[in-house]
C-alpha cells in the first residue's frame, strides 16, 4: 500500500452466498426474484455488475426488508449471490481449508420435498462445512401457507400446509441426525423464527416474492452474528479466488470467471491458476465486468476495469488459460514469492486430487469439486478409477478407456459434462460405453446396470 493510501488496511467483505437445490425447485427463479427486488428498490446502478454473481448492498437489503433490517445494526456490506444456477456453482464450492461460499441457500420445492440433487447438495454442504438455510419454495402453491404471518403455519392441523411442513420437518430431522454424527458444530445450525429446529427453514415463493424479505433478513442477520470475524480481509492484499467457469470469449481467448474472496486483483498482476497438469503462471491481460445491458455495443459485452476487491465476480483474460479448471484456485502473486504461490496452488490441487488405480473407468466432471464428489461416490461403490479429469468427454478419454482388458472398465462416466462429437464416434468404433448424467447416483446406477449385464452375459 502506498503512503498516500488512506484506506483501512482491513475491512469486512461481503459474505458469499450460493443457491443450491434439485433441478426445477426454483434456484434460478429465486435468484431472479432477489435481483429483481434489488433493482426495483435500488437507484439505477446501485447493483454492481458482476460476472457469475450479484451483489446486493446492505441499504438495498434494508429497503427490501423494511423494518426487519436496520442498516445501523450491521457492518457487513451486503450479500454476494453466486448466480451460476444449478449444479455448476455448488460443485465448485470446495476449496482448500473450507468452502467458496460462506453461506448457502438450499432451495426445496415444498411439493416435491428432498430429491436426489437436494441430497447431493446436502452432501457437498456437509463436506465443505458450509452453513446453510433451507428456502421452502413455491409456498404460493400450498393453500393456507402464509409466510408473512408471525406463525407461518396458521392453518388447521389437517391442512395441506401443515402436512407439507411436517414432511419437510421430518426429512430435515433425519438429515440433522446424520450431520450431527459428522461433528458439525452447533453454530452451523441456525434456529429461524418460528421453527424450533436447528436448521433454519424460511418459507418463500420465488414467484410472488413472499418470504424473500425474510430470507434476506435471516441471511444478513446470521452472517452478521456468526461470520463477522471470517469476513475480515486485507483489502489491498494479493487476491485469492476460485475459478467458477472457463470460457472462450471472442476477442479475449480463454478466460476464467472467478470469484474473488480475499484481497484485490489488478489489471497488471501476475497470477497463478490451477491447471489440468500444473499451475499456470500468467499475466492478467484484462479484468472484465459485464456492461450494463443498455450500453452494450457491438464490440464487446464487457467493460475493462483496473482493479477489483473481494468479494466480487470477475472475468480474467490472460494468456495460457486453456488448461485452467473450474473449481481451481486463482492467486495473485503481487508482493509475494512466485515459488511460494505456485506451491500453494499445487498443494490445493493435490488436496483435491483423486487417487487413481492401474485399471479402472475413466471419470470426467465439470469442476474439481464435482470430480471429488464422483471419486468419493465411486470409492463407496468400489469402482476403481484409471483417470479422473475436469472437462468434456474427449477422444483421448476414449483411447484410455479402450485399452482396458476388462470389458466392465471400457467405460467413461461423465458428470455434468458433454461428449464431444468425435469422442462419440470413436467410442462406437472402440466399443467404449459413455455414461453421462447430472445426478451422481443416477450416473453410478446406470454404470452398475451395465456391469450387471456384462456379468450376466459372462455366466
Ligand atoms: P431451477 O432449475 O431450480 O433453477 O428452477 P427454476 O427457477 O427454473 O424453476 C422451475 C420452475 O418452477 C419454473 O417453471 C418456475 O416458474 C417455477 N417456479 C419457481 N419458483 C416458483 C414458485 O415460488 N412458485 C411457483 N408456483 N412456481 C415456481
Amino acid at each position: 500500500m502506498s503512503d498516500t493510501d488512506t484506506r483501512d488496511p482491513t475491512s469486512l467483505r461481503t459474505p458469499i452466498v450460493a443457491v443450491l437445490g434439485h433441478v426445477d425447485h426454483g434456484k434460478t427463479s429465486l435468484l431472479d426474484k432477489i435481483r429483481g427486488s434489488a433493482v426495483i428498490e435500488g437507484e439505477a446502478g446501485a447493483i454492481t455488475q458482476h460476472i457469475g454473481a450479484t451483489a446486493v448492498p446492505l441499504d438495498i437489503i434494508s429497503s427490501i426488508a423494511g423494518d426487519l433490517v436496520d442498516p445501523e445494526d450491521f457492518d457487513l456490506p451486503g450479500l454476494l449471490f453466486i448466480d451460476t444456477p444449478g449444479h455448476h456453482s455448488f460443485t465448485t464450492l470446495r476449496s482448500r481449508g473450507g468452502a467458496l461460499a460462506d453461506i448457502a441457500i438450499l432451495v426445496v420445492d415444498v411439493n416435491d420435498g428432498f430429491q436426489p440433487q437436494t441430497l447431493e447438495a446436502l452432501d457437498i454442504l456437509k463436506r465443505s462445512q458450509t452453513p446453510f438455510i433451507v428456502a421452502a419454495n413455491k409456498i404460493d402453491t400450498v393453500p393456507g401457507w402464509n409466510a408473512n404471518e408471525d406463525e407461518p403455519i396458521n392453518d388447521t392441523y389437517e391442512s395441506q400446509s401443515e402436512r407439507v411442513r411436517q414432511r419437510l420437518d421430518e426429512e430435515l430431522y433425519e438429515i440433522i441426525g446424520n450431520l450431527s454424527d459428522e461433528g458439525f458444530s452447533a453454530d452451523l445450525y441456525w434456529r429461524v423464527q418460528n421453527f424450533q429446529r436447528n436448521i433454519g427453514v424460511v418459507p418463500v415463493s420465488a414467484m410472488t416474492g413472499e418470504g424473500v424479505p425474510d430470507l434476506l433478513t435471516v441471511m444478513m442477520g446470521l452472517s452478521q452474528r456468526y461470520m463477522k470475524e471470517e469476513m475480515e480481509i486485507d483489502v489491498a492484499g494479493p487476491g485469492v479466488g476460485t475459478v467458477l467457469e472457463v470460457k472462450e470469449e471472442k476477442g479475449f481467448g480463454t478466460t476464467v470467471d472467478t470469484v474473488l474472496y480475499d484481497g484485490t486483483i489488478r489489471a497488471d498482476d501476475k497470477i497463478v491458476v490451477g491447471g489440468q497438469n500444473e499451475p499456470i503462471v500468467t499475466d492478467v491481460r484484462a479484468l472484465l465486468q459485464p456492461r450494463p445491458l443498455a450500453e452494450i455495443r457491438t464490440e464487446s459485452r464487457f467493460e475493462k476495469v483496473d482493479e477489483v476487491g473481494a468479494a466480487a465476480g470477475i472475468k480474467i483474460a490472460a494468456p495460457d488459460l486453456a488448461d485452467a479448471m473450474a473449481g481451481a484456485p486463482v492467486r495473485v502473486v503481487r508482493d509475494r514469492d512466485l515459488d511460494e504461490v505456485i506451491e500453494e496452488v499445487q498443494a490445493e490441487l493435490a488436496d483435491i486430487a483423486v487417487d487413481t488405480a492401474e485399471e479402472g473407468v475413466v471419470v470426467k466432471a465439470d469442476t474439481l469439486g464435482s470430480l471429488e464428489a464422483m471419486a468419493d461416490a465411486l470409492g463407496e461403490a468400489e469402482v476403481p478409477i484409471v483417470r479422473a479429469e475436469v472437462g468434456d468427454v474427449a477422444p483421448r478419454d476414449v483411447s484410455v478407456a479402450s485399452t482396458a482388458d476388462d470389458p466392465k472398465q471400457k467405460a467413461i462416466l461423465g458428470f455434468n459434462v458433454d461428449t464431444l462429437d468425435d469422442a462419440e464416434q470413436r467410442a462406437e468404433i472402440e466399443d467404449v460405453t459413455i455414461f453421462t448424467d447430472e445426478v451422481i447416483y443416477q450416473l453410478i446406477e446406470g454404470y452398475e446396470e451395465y456391469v450387471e449385464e456384462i456379468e450376466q452375459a459372462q455366466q
Side-chain angles (χ1 to χ4, degrees):
M1 218 193 292
S2 71
D3 291 344
T4 52
D5 202 332
T6 53
R7 282 179 300 183
D8 182 355
T10 60
S11 162
L12 294 171
R13 74 154 164 81
T14 311
I16 300 169
V17 185
V19 180
L20 345 167
H22 194 70
V23 63
D24 282 345
H25 281 199
K27 298 174 293 293
T28 315
S29 308
L30 184 62
L31 279 161
D32 283 350
K33 197 74 199 174
I34 291 170
R35 229 186 338 245
S37 316
V39 169
I40 291 165
E41 288 298 333
E43 304 275 310
I47 304 293
T48 332
Q49 299 282 323
H50 281 271
I51 297 284
T54 301
V56 186
L58 176 63
D59 58 337
I60 299 211
I61 290 177
S62 165
S63 10
I64 295 171
D67 293 341
L68 295 172
V69 174
D70 179 353
E72 295 288 311
D73 297 339
F74 294 87
D75 39 19
L76 291 173
L79 297 169
L80 182 81
F81 291 87
I82 295 183
D83 53 21
T84 347
H87 247 62
H88 218 98
S89 57
F90 87 73
T91 39
T92 308
L93 276 178
R94 175 73 163 69
S95 83
R96 198 162 197 241
L100 167 65
D102 303 300
I103 335 168
I105 301 175
L106 181 63
V107 179
V108 182
D109 178 338
V110 286
N111 300 298
D112 210 17
F114 284 69
Q115 292 298 322
Q117 284 170 317
T118 325
L119 298 174
E120 265 177 40
L122 272 165
D123 204 43
I124 287 168
L125 291 171
K126 197 164 76 174
R127 282 195 296 123
S128 61
Q129 301 247 322
T130 307
F132 63 96
I133 288 173
V134 174
N137 189 33
K138 307 199 187 182
I139 53 166
D140 59 287
T141 61
V142 183
W145 198 325
N146 182 352
N148 284 339
E149 298 288 316
D150 281 344
E151 282 290 325
I153 317 310
N154 58 357
D155 229 346
T156 58
Y157 192 75
E158 287 301 309
S159 73
Q160 190 180 346
S161 67
E162 181 64 12
R163 280 201 304 278
V164 168
R165 189 187 79 110
Q166 262 186 6
R167 198 191 62 205
L168 277 187
D169 264 6
E170 277 160 22
E171 284 175 322
L172 266 173
Y173 190 75
E174 246 174 59
I175 291 154
I176 292 170
N178 291 339
L179 289 176
S180 315
D181 292 343
E182 305 270 330
F184 255 43
S185 86
D187 273 0
L188 296 179
Y189 308 131
W190 290 328
R191 280 165 211 276
V192 179
Q193 299 184 340
N194 303 294
F195 289 83
Q196 293 304 307
R197 293 282 188 227
N198 285 329
I199 289 180
V201 181
V202 183
V204 299
S205 166
M207 193 149 104
T208 65
E210 192 168 2
V212 169
D214 308 69
L215 185 67
L216 291 173
T217 304
V218 169
M219 302 289 293
M220 201 64 223
L222 294 170
S223 306
Q224 176 74 26
R225 183 150 163 222
Y226 292 104
M227 315 207 125
K228 215 175 117 177
E229 277 162 29
E230 287 166 48
M231 296 301 108
E232 246 171 47
I233 56 160
D234 173 3
V235 281
V240 176
T242 297
V243 177
L244 274 183
E245 273 189 88
V246 183
K247 273 192 195 156
E248 288 300 318
E249 222 54 84
K250 221 176 155 189
F252 295 103
T254 311
T255 64
V256 286
D257 291 358
T258 300
V259 166
L260 193 70
Y261 52 91
D262 204 354
T264 56
I265 183 164
R266 297 177 190 158
D268 59 357
D269 274 328
K270 183 178 283 302
I271 54 170
V272 180
V273 181
Q276 287 285 357
N277 303 308
E278 55 192 21
I280 302 162
V281 180
T282 184
D283 294 302
V284 175
R285 185 186 285 154
L287 296 178
L288 304 166
Q289 293 281 36
R291 274 184 210 280
L293 272 181
E295 287 177 24
I296 293 180
R297 280 163 233 139
T298 43
E299 70 265 32
S300 175
R301 296 187 286 129
F302 304 110
E303 185 165 38
K304 290 188 186 176
V305 292
D306 292 336
E307 180 179 298
V308 184
I314 184 80
K315 183 185 283 293
I316 303 171
D320 306 323
L321 288 177
D323 275 350
M325 288 184 292
V330 177
R331 293 268 193 290
V332 170
V333 180
R334 186 189 341 122
D335 301 336
R336 298 195 57 193
D337 178 47
L338 176 62
D339 288 339
E340 202 177 281
V341 179
I342 293 174
E343 252 169 55
E344 237 175 60
V345 169
Q346 249 157 356
E348 188 163 331
L349 292 177
D351 205 35
I352 310 175
V354 172
D355 284 335
T356 50
E358 299 230 329
E359 290 176 347
V361 297
V362 173
V363 179
K364 303 294 297 248
D366 59 337
T367 71
L368 276 178
S370 52
L371 198 61
E372 193 183 35
M374 271 294 291
D376 282 355
L378 284 171
E380 271 167 36
E382 293 179 18
V383 178
I385 300 169
V386 69
R387 171 198 182 99
E389 265 185 16
V390 172
D392 288 333
V393 179
R396 59 194 172 122
D397 300 316
V398 179
S399 304
V400 173
S402 70
T403 61
D405 293 328
D406 184 345
K408 287 180 290 204
Q409 293 174 349
K410 280 185 185 286
I412 301 172
L413 279 70
F415 173 58
N416 253 347
V417 293
D418 292 326
T419 303
L420 303 178
D421 282 346
D422 28 353
E424 210 146 345
Q425 285 159 9
R426 186 127 171 207
E428 257 174 54
I429 298 165
E430 306 268 3
D431 207 19
V432 167
T433 311
I434 302 174
F435 299 85
T436 53
D437 207 300
E438 291 182 354
V439 179
I440 291 178
Y441 98 96
Q442 283 174 10
L443 183 58
I444 293 177
E445 260 180 22
Y447 172 70
E448 284 176 334
E449 276 166 26
Y450 158 89
V451 169
E452 244 170 64
E453 274 168 32
I454 293 178
E455 282 172 352
Q456 274 168 5
Q458 283 172 341
Q459 277 167 10

